[in-house]
Structures are given as structure tokens and as C-alpha cells.
Amino acid sequence: MCPRLFLTLLFAAMLATPASSQTTPFPLVLSGMTAPSGGTYQNFSRPVIDDAGRVSFISTLTGGAAASGIFTVDGTAGTIALAGDAAPGGGTINIFADFRLTSSGPGQLLFQANTTGGSSTGGFFIASQAGTEVAFLRGDAAPGVGGGTIGSTPGPVINDSGQVAFSATVEISSSVLGRGIFRTTGGVTEAVARTGDAAPGGGIFGEMSVPPTLNNAGLIAFHADTDGPGSSGIFVGVPGAVTQVARRLDLAPGSSGATFANFSGPSVNDAGQVAFASNLLTNGITSRPNAGIFTGNPGNLHAVALQGTASPTGAAYTFFPESPIINSTGRVTFTAGLSDAQHDAGIFTGAAGAVQTVALRNAAAPGGGFFTNILSIASTNVAGQVAFISPLSGAGFNPSIDVGLYVWSDGNLVKIVSSGDVIDVDPTAGVDLRTVLSIGVENGFNNVGLGGEDGRGISFNDNGQLTYRLGFTDGSQGILTSHVVPVPEPSCMLMLACVGLASRSLRRRVASLA
């Protein structure tokens, strides 16, 4: 059988067989392999995956015409864009600017590139099977009252329809700058909210620098300062129709009279529900530990977790360091500090009244060692699985350099790979054993990413496929995948213990992508 066809069938089998898991790291590309554009792969960054299992990544190159490029692997290796390519909209791609990729469900890829020789210095572009087109360019006219041009744009997001939402500076003159939240559909950009616009609930919008999130219906959730009642809030909407979700000094549900203070987030799901964190005011006094995680729709919010209330472990929540994320079933995933002296932090997931523990700091990690710091979520998906990286301590581990990658799935915690593991990266009948030194996972923006539902870059798709970068002690790197089925059957733990033996026998027959 053709090796490339065999790899394609292997990807299909991984997607189509819900009763099996292939948690053993499976190599897609390695440094030193020949890139489809010519030259060889060198260093990798930002691997993302879509729901079809297509993995995209950035790589520097040696020995070819281009110094770097964006590539994809979907059974066979392909090229998305190269430094030196003609840029849609004019000029030439010079460098992939912030090395951040976002992959939406049907295989549309949003990426940033700087350009030279054109009317703009760069922008964001959407690549698909139909080709690459402009999402928007720096210097484009900013729609909305006040005019100006689009400037810097941190962390744009893309949904399954190819709509793009972003926060941007608006350069009105050499001395006047504003801000705006915008949405681009089919090359047409519209303003959702701009500095000086009337804000729902009173006042006008001010600063809105935090990147928004975007669901597949085109609804945008964002945080903005205002000069009106309370001075800041969480909002959702579309161009021409924005609604207030929560405002500073509003009563916080479940908190016995406390009011919202400072916000973090929000995340939005396809049902239009939002999730966010907020510090709270009690009798006009605020402090970081007085906080909560909240979710719901405008006019129907409820608390998922509050400082001082019991976590699933019995210890009280003490603080919430990150923005939470929410999937289409309303499950919220968040990190929290705990009052337990030993297990003083953890990752949690669930709905109000039904929160489960994902992992705890200083608890034993599957495969050896102890979780040292788990206050950052790598990714979650619509099935409610949670992937995260933690430094490891204990015998044989140095927490300053050793880390592990893990997946929580339906109450089961599974190790994917950790520093010091020796894995076979030869996809053929040969053996190429290498020792893992470092692990990298694309985690959307602000350390979190939902599986294609809020528009941020994903490393973990809805089918339980996880992609990541490994560095090895010999200086080489690779992009790899693992598969953890979303709904384990009763025999799932036995299959996980077998660590994909059947998949390994198939790997021996697969020829190198090079």
C-alpha cells in the first residue's frame, strides 16, 4: 500500500474508532525531514489541529529558498504559506509575525504575517483549500463613527464560517488613538463597539484591549471599560446590537450581596453563554481573594465557584488566577487556589453544583512524579476533556526543567508524555529512540483555548486528538499527536494501559513523510 495513503487511512481509523485510544506519541514531522516546499524542517512552533485531524504548524527551514513557512499534515504534508510568497492584498510575506495560528473547524487557518513592498506592513490572512485571502490589513479604514485606520491587533479569532473578530487600536491621527472591537465577514469589516460609542447600561465605551471571543453563530463576547455606571463590564453582541452581560457594581449571583469589581474573560460558547471571572466588592472594599467564576446569558447569570465556598475536594476556593472557559454543554473549566496546605491549587470542570476535580497540585501524576504547578489549562474541547501541562517533582524529576502533558477524560486522568520518556519517532519498520526534553502545546490566547467553539487556536479537537511539539535531548524537534477518546467505554482504562499496541504495529509499516 502507498505509505502516504496508509497514513491517511490511519488518521481516519483514529477518528472513526471511538472504542480505542492511541495515547502513545505519534510523530507527524521531525526536524531534518524534507519540507514539501523544499529545504528541511528545523524548529517548530504553534501546532494547531482542526476537527478533521489536520495539523498545521510553523517551521523554520534550512537549505531551501524560504527561511520559514506554515505547513499542514493531513495524511500527506502540504504548504500553506512561505516567507517570500506574494501576499494577498499586495507586497511580499516577510515573516510570520507573532507565530500564532488559529484553526477553525472546517480547515480554515487564520495567521498573521508582516509584508514588504505593498500598501500595508502586514495583516491577518485566512488560508483554506480554496487558497489564501486577506482577513484584514494594518492601515485598513476602521469602520464606525470617528474614522481612522486599524493598527495593532492582538489575538484575532476565527469561527467555522470564516468570520474573524478582533480588538484593534484605531489610529485617528498622529496624536489620537482609540480602540475598537470589529468583526470581518467575507472581507467586509464592521464595528461592534468603538471608543466613544454608547455602551448598553449607560456611559460610553473606553478601553477594550483584551481580545474578544467569537462563537460559530458570529456572536462576540468582550470586556470593555466605560465611563458610565460601574465603569467596566462584560458585553456580547454583533455589529449594531450589543448587550450588557455584567457590569461593575452589579450584584454578583450567589455571593450574599457582593458586587462585581474587576473582570477577567469572557469565553463564549455556541449557545451564547459566557463564562468569566470577577473580583468582588463587599461593602465597597475589594481584594483579590474575594472573587468568583460566573456563567450564563445576559439577565440569567449564576455562580459556578466562589471564594470561601467548598471545592469538590472539600477545601475552600481561595482565588481564581485565569479566565475560565465554557463549552456548548455549559461545562466551565477553570483553575483555582485552595485552602488545603498540601493540595493548594487545582484545575476544575463542570456546571454550577456539579464541579469535578481535574488535577491537584502536589498530587501524584500518572506515570510518576507529582504535579508541581497546574494553574494553567492548555486546552479543552466540546466533549469536556481537559489537557494541561505541569512541571513535575519527586524522585527522578527536577521541577525547573521536567514537565508532563496530561488529559482528563470523563473522570480519568491519562498521561500523554513527560520529560525523560524515551519514544520511537521512526514511523517505519526501523527504530529511532529519542529522549524527551521539552513539551509545547498551543494554548489559544491568554493560556486557554476551547475546541473550535470560541475561535481561539486549539491543540485538542472535539474527537479527542491532541497535537503538541516535543524537543529531544539530541537537539531535534517534532510535531506529534495522541488520541484520547471523548467517551471512554467500561474497558477504556484497560485499553489505555495497553498504550496503543495495535497502533504501534501499524506505525512500523508507515514510510517517512520525507
Side-chain angles (χ1 to χ4, degrees):
M1 180 181 293
C2 170
R4 294 184 186 275
L5 176 59
F6 189 84
L7 185 55
T8 303
L9 293 176
L10 179 58
F11 268 88
M14 289 170 63
L15 280 173
T17 311
S20 64
S21 290
Q22 193 260 326
T23 56
T24 302
F26 184 90
L28 298 179
V29 291
L30 299 167
S31 52
M33 281 185 171
T34 302
S37 60
T40 59
Y41 296 121
Q42 187 177 19
N43 297 315
F44 301 106
S45 61
R46 301 296 186 188
V48 293
I49 191 168
D50 63 20
D51 281 346
R54 185 183 73 152
V55 175
S56 303
F57 56 93
I58 292 173
S59 179
T60 57
L61 302 170
T62 58
S68 62
I70 300 176
F71 303 92
T72 184
V73 178
D74 184 9
T76 59
T79 302
I80 295 172
L82 295 171
D85 281 354
T92 302
I93 293 175
N94 181 35
I95 188 172
F96 301 104
D98 66 357
F99 294 92
R100 183 173 299 281
L101 300 172
T102 303
S103 185
S104 66
Q108 298 178 100
L109 193 70
L110 178 68
F111 67 93
Q112 183 180 5
N114 289 341
T115 59
T116 58
S119 59
S120 172
T121 58
F124 281 81
F125 305 88
I126 300 174
S128 67
Q129 291 182 345
T132 301
E133 60 186 30
V134 173
F136 59 90
L137 299 174
R138 289 191 289 271
D140 280 353
V145 177
T149 57
I150 293 173
S152 63
T153 53
V157 289
I158 183 172
N159 67 13
D160 283 357
S161 299
Q163 293 176 310
V164 175
F166 59 97
S167 168
T169 58
V170 177
E171 299 175 4
I172 299 171
S173 70
S174 59
S175 59
V176 179
L177 294 177
R179 280 279 182 180
I181 301 291
F182 302 94
R183 190 185 73 182
T184 297
T185 305
V188 177
T189 301
E190 300 174 277
V192 178
R194 284 189 53 165
T195 301
D197 287 353
I204 61 174
F205 285 120
E207 182 70 12
M208 49 187 78
S209 59
V210 177
T213 52
L214 170 71
N215 73 8
N216 287 317
L219 185 71
I220 297 165
F222 63 98
H223 169 240
D225 292 336
T226 71
D227 73 346
S231 82
S232 67
I234 299 292
F235 303 88
V236 296
V238 296
V242 175
T243 302
Q244 176 180 297
V245 176
R247 198 72 167 262
R248 180 180 168 89
L249 302 185
D250 285 351
L251 285 174
S255 63
S256 301
T259 60
F260 292 123
N262 302 316
F263 297 100
S264 175
S267 176
V268 63
N269 68 8
D270 280 350
Q273 298 170 305
V274 298
F276 60 93
S278 177
N279 290 339
L280 302 178
L281 288 162
T282 303
N283 298 323
I285 300 174
T286 185
S287 62
R288 179 180 174 86
N290 192 12
I293 301 291
F294 302 90
T295 186
N297 302 97
N300 184 28
L301 294 176
H302 54 272
V304 176
L306 292 168
Q307 182 270 334
T309 63
S311 72
T313 70
Y317 297 116
T318 57
F319 65 95
F320 305 99
E322 284 189 328
S323 303
I325 44 185
I326 184 171
N327 71 7
S328 58
T329 67
R331 178 186 288 270
V332 178
T333 303
F334 61 97
T335 57
L338 298 173
S339 61
D340 187 316
Q342 180 180 6
H343 304 302
D344 60 351
I347 300 174
F348 301 91
T349 188
V355 175
Q356 296 173 273
T357 302
V358 173
L360 297 172
R361 180 149 58 191
N362 298 322
F370 296 86
F371 296 126
T372 301
N373 185 357
I374 53 177
L375 289 178
S376 184
I377 309 163
S379 190
T380 187
N381 62 15
V382 170
Q385 297 175 300
V386 181
F388 64 95
I389 289 178
S390 174
L392 296 172
S393 60
F397 292 100
N398 180 345
S400 65
I401 57 174
D402 291 327
V403 297
L405 174 61
Y406 305 88
V407 169
W408 181 92
S409 182
D410 197 35
N412 299 315
L413 194 56
V414 180
K415 172 188 166 181
I416 302 300
V417 65
S418 67
S419 300
D421 283 356
V422 177
I423 63 174
D424 182 7
V425 298
D426 190 338
T428 69
V431 175
D432 186 351
L433 298 178
R434 302 188 194 183
T435 302
V436 176
L437 178 66
S438 62
I439 306 170
V441 178
E442 166 65 20
N443 57 6
F445 189 82
N446 197 30
N447 295 326
V448 294
L450 180 59
E453 199 169 320
D454 65 3
R456 292 180 279 200
I458 63 169
S459 57
F460 198 20
N461 70 15
D462 293 345
N463 301 302
Q465 291 175 295
L466 177 67
T467 188
Y468 46 92
R469 181 193 64 82
L470 293 183
F472 301 102
T473 54
D474 66 356
S476 64
Q477 298 182 6
I479 301 293
L480 301 91
T481 61
S482 290
H483 187 207
V484 183
V485 294
V487 183
E489 296 182 354
S491 59
C492 180
M493 292 307 294
L494 176 60
M495 289 184 290
L496 291 176
C498 292
V499 291
L501 292 177
S503 297
R504 181 174 177 83
S505 66
L506 291 176
R507 288 175 52 201
R508 296 299 187 187
R509 301 172 56 194
V510 180
S512 170
L513 285 172

